[in-house]
Amino acid sequence: MKVTRSRAQDPNVCGVTAAIAVIDGKWKTILLWLLESGPQRPGALRRRLPGLTEKVLTQTLREMEADGLVHREVHDVRPLKTLYSLTSFGRELSEALAPLSDWGHRRLEKLAETRPVS
């Protein structure tokens, strides 16, 4: 079953399901990871993620902002300067995902050990 954004707000779902609904998508976890190092401009994020279009980046960051994970700060200079950073809630999610990331790396190592050498 696909985890929808509405399931992220349903109080009758498992907490893991609610968390996955917030990070579901191709780019959200990597954007969380990139924003851990500090505020980033959208152009800098796009340059680090080949294949991510401006439209999808904007949509994804807006969803993350709506979910309270990122803060968008617009500086009124010409041209406009926009910075995205993790909120404390976003940083908390990033920290919660760290053990899952470690597990994922261990899984990849285990898969590499069992692959036949070509």
Side-chain angles (χ1 to χ4, degrees):
M1 166 176 55
K2 174 139 173 60
V3 180
T4 62
R5 289 189 48 73
S6 62
R7 293 194 46 89
Q9 299 172 6
D10 182 350
N12 298 314
V13 299
C14 163
V16 173
T17 301
I20 289 172
V22 172
I23 59 170
D24 190 34
K26 182 176 182 178
W27 302 105
K28 288 183 181 177
T29 54
I30 188 113
L31 287 169
L32 274 172
W33 179 70
L34 290 173
L35 290 170
E36 281 180 346
S37 63
Q40 302 276 327
R41 295 184 71 176
L45 292 169
R46 270 194 48 228
R47 282 189 293 279
R48 295 190 63 191
L49 298 170
L52 175 60
T53 65
E54 186 172 349
K55 177 184 175 186
V56 171
L57 174 63
T58 299
Q59 178 183 346
T60 303
L61 287 169
R62 286 193 178 152
E63 286 178 6
M64 294 172 74
E65 183 181 14
D67 288 330
L69 304 177
V70 300
H71 172 72
R72 179 175 168 254
E73 188 175 330
V74 179
H75 297 268
D76 194 16
V77 295
R78 295 289 174 233
L80 282 179
K81 180 180 175 186
T82 304
L83 286 174
Y84 285 91
S85 59
L86 288 182
T87 62
S88 59
F89 197 54
R91 195 163 300 286
E92 185 181 330
L93 174 60
S94 191
E95 291 170 5
L97 290 173
L100 184 60
S101 175
D102 294 343
W103 182 89
H105 287 293
R106 286 192 306 276
R107 178 183 178 272
L108 291 173
E109 289 170 4
K110 189 172 184 172
L111 286 173
E113 291 170 1
T114 61
R115 271 196 200 110
V117 177
S118 12

